[in-house]
Amino acid sequence: MTPRPTTPEPKTPGIDRRGLLRAGALTLPLALAGGGALALAAPVHADPSVTGGETRTRDVPLADLPRRASDQGARARVIADAAATMVGASWSGAEPDVLRVRGRASGAEWTSWFPLEIAEDPEDGTSLGAAEPAWLGAADEIELVAVRDGEDVSDELTAHVLTTSPREEEKDGAAPSALTRMSTRAVAAGDAVELGPGAPTIVRRSAWGADESLVGSVSSASELRAVVVHHTAGSNSYAKADAPQLLRGILSYHTKTLGWADIGYNLLVDRYGTIYEGRHGGLHKHIIGAHAYGFNTFSCGVSVMGTFTSSAPPSAAISAVQKVAAWKLLGAFRTNASQQFDWVSTVTGGGSLYDEGETAHLRRIFGHRDVNATECPGNAFYPKLSGMRSATTSAISSAWRLHLDAFASPGEKTLGTVTQLVHVEGAYYVTRLTKGFVVSSASGAKDARATQFRTWTTAWGLPLAASRVVDGRRIQDFSNGQAVREDGKETFTRS
């Protein structure tokens, strides 16, 4: 097979998602969004009948709707009574080569044309016959273009028109105070875990209004290999107070329209640099998302809200992604974001660039397009990844490394991989690994110790020294007693 490109080399800008694979066979013009002016007004409210932070979805078959000329090489289908803020689409048959949408409010100018990213099934990778949703802002009218092999196929599509609404606390045009500083305490899905040192400020799910009744069960992985960078697509001209609506719309679409267990991304970042908790299950865990088919299990998906085809995200958003990457990678004891590693694919098709058994040569931070057939995170964003890797590595080198140093110290070399990033348990900071723990006082004392015992609890206290083997038994002294492992069984005796 022809070797795939590796992460360090920026890809040549293509035309559309499938244009990357079809060697320029499509020649439709791109008229996509730029950065957009900063929007500081009150949050968008497209339809007063949708209230209280709710999201309404209306499915609109396009076959019987009128068409009119567009500048996209095909006639556009027109939804004249939209009252929408977001739109996605699904179809019968093969996926379109070109799929774009734009909207406008009454009396206003049309937005730019936004490409809709193809949604892949997180379970088996086959196309769902659906696209991700794009944020338009308040739109009373929508145009949608779909082309396959040069032919208009919009009659095969159903548009999924979403109307989001602000919550009462969001209507004043400023981000709610609850969104500004919730950096340590998780409050979603019963997973009340306080994060350890180095975690950035993260807006939790309850703060942005996640509807937990929509979500299903999720799983976590035994290690973290990399951070995958995405963009959501859609308008970049949202106000800061619009971001919770956008998140709630994506959650509703991913669960109710696509049938996924939860929002696909692990974390999201708005253009102002605010970081939001995505998929539930615990930020200290390696929760398996639905963002990069074939490469979900050992990665963390971070998506910047907007379209970055012709302009890169603002520096605040880039800095926020770097903060997330530094925290996640260091917490998993990965210290070089530019490090190249091999990832052998276990899938074939379904949008993956790698067939089963092929080796992808990746970096610890890579773009969605490096593993799947997509332009995500956008032609203007992707070249920024190299500098982001360097900045992230520099941040890691000066960050809180107490647990990494204890892990690397002599005496405990078989602790395996990190399963849970450093977090608070009782009076201790704890990093959990597949074959042990690293434990330190949460008081700030520099007394971290690694232990090969796997059933440690706060009742044991702090490990006092490296474990030792005596007569075939592994022994570990703790501040509150002594633990012994013999014949695979671990027991603890209080002092």
Side-chain angles (χ1 to χ4, degrees):
M1 289 189 174
T2 302
R4 305 298 203 274
T6 58
T7 305
E9 298 298 326
K11 305 226 181 359
T12 301
I15 298 167
D16 279 281
R17 196 183 77 91
R18 289 302 177 188
L20 290 171
L21 302 181
R22 296 184 181 185
L26 303 174
T27 57
L28 298 181
L30 278 174
L32 300 177
L38 291 181
L40 301 177
V44 165
H45 199 175
D47 185 346
S49 70
V50 183
T51 61
E54 295 178 344
T55 297
R56 181 186 67 194
T57 302
R58 184 162 57 103
D59 299 330
V60 182
L62 300 185
D64 297 327
L65 294 183
R67 290 186 290 185
R68 62 185 172 212
S70 77
D71 59 357
Q72 297 295 291
R75 294 175 68 81
R77 294 282 183 174
V78 181
I79 304 174
D81 57 344
T85 52
M86 304 179 75
V87 63
S90 60
W91 51 85
S92 57
E95 67 192 48
D97 303 316
V98 177
L99 183 57
R100 301 192 188 121
V101 66
R102 68 177 183 173
R104 67 175 175 183
S106 298
E109 296 293 323
W110 285 100
T111 67
S112 299
W113 285 98
F114 303 118
L116 297 182
E117 292 283 351
I118 306 301
E120 306 291 349
D121 189 322
E123 297 299 326
D124 62 17
T126 57
S127 174
L128 295 171
E132 295 277 3
W135 172 265
L136 299 176
D140 297 310
E141 190 174 11
I142 292 172
E143 289 187 345
L144 195 147
V145 167
V147 176
R148 186 193 308 120
D149 297 328
E151 299 293 330
D152 174 18
V153 292
S154 59
D155 60 344
E156 299 178 13
L157 269 66
T158 296
H160 304 290
V161 179
L162 281 73
T163 305
T164 61
S165 63
R167 297 176 296 174
E168 287 300 320
E169 62 267 35
E170 295 163 1
K171 289 182 179 180
D172 60 3
S177 58
L179 300 185
T180 58
R181 290 204 59 83
M182 293 187 68
S183 61
T184 58
R185 183 65 63 180
V187 291
D191 193 12
V193 173
E194 184 177 346
L195 303 177
T201 300
I202 300 171
V203 176
R204 300 312 173 102
R205 289 169 63 91
S206 64
W208 59 258
D211 182 352
E212 302 299 348
S213 70
L214 298 177
V215 306
S217 61
V218 296
S219 301
S220 59
S222 60
E223 64 174 307
L224 179 70
R225 296 178 183 173
V227 172
V228 187
V229 179
H230 302 259
H231 69 170
T232 61
S235 174
N236 297 344
S237 297
Y238 52 87
K240 192 169 187 178
D242 290 330
Q245 284 190 68
L246 207 160
L247 291 160
R248 293 191 293 268
I250 295 174
L251 171 61
S252 178
Y253 190 90
H254 281 185
T255 55
K256 296 171 71 174
T257 300
L258 300 185
W260 294 356
D262 196 355
I263 197 167
Y265 307 111
N266 297 101
L267 296 110
L268 298 97
V269 172
D270 69 21
R271 66 193 181 104
Y272 303 92
T274 307
I275 304 166
Y276 301 88
E277 180 180 16
R279 181 163 285 217
H280 78 282
L283 288 166
H284 62 301
K285 299 177 183 177
H286 310 315
I287 299 300
I288 300 171
H291 58 90
Y293 171 60
F295 298 83
N296 286 314
T297 299
F298 300 110
S299 69
C300 173
V302 183
S303 191
V304 181
M305 292 182 274
T307 296
F308 304 108
T309 301
S310 59
S311 62
S315 58
I318 291 175
S319 177
V321 176
Q322 291 169 181
K323 290 177 183 178
V324 168
W327 163 58
K328 280 287 188 178
L329 292 175
L330 175 56
F333 298 161
R334 310 286 189 190
T335 59
N336 183 357
S338 297
Q339 180 186 23
Q340 189 173 52
F341 68 101
D342 291 343
W343 194 328
V344 179
S345 176
T346 58
V347 301
T348 295
S352 176
L353 294 181
Y354 297 89
D355 292 334
E356 184 176 0
E358 280 192 280
T359 299
H361 307 292
L362 301 168
R363 305 287 179 178
R364 296 298 179 190
I365 298 176
F366 65 86
H368 186 195
R369 66 168 62 182
D370 290 312
V371 292
N372 288 171
T374 176
E375 287 193 4
C376 179
N379 291 334
F381 192 179
Y382 184 80
K384 299 288 185 182
L385 297 187
S386 178
M388 291 171 64
R389 293 185 195 104
S390 298
T392 299
T393 301
S394 295
I396 288 172
S397 68
S398 60
W400 189 88
R401 298 163 62 94
L402 189 63
H403 280 201
L404 173 61
D405 292 341
F407 171 79
S409 66
E412 301 289 1
K413 294 294 186 182
T414 59
L415 298 185
T417 56
V418 174
T419 60
Q420 295 183 17
L421 276 60
V422 59
H423 59 281
V424 176
E425 295 187 30
Y428 302 97
Y429 289 140
V430 181
T431 298
R432 292 183 177 266
L433 297 100
T434 53
K435 299 180 180 180
F437 300 85
V438 181
V439 186
S440 64
S441 170
S443 67
K446 296 183 178 180
D447 53 2
R449 294 283 186 174
T451 173
Q452 292 187 35
F453 283 76
R454 303 175 191 175
T455 56
W456 179 90
T457 68
T458 57
W460 293 19
L462 192 71
L464 298 180
S467 63
R468 60 195 183 276
V469 176
V470 179
D471 297 331
R473 302 185 305 162
R474 181 166 292 278
I475 299 173
Q476 176 84 64
D477 294 316
F478 292 85
S479 54
N480 293 331
Q482 188 177 82
V484 177
R485 181 166 72 234
E486 186 173 16
D487 297 329
K489 183 179 180 181
E490 295 177 346
T491 58
F492 177 75
T493 302
R494 283 187 173 272
S495 56

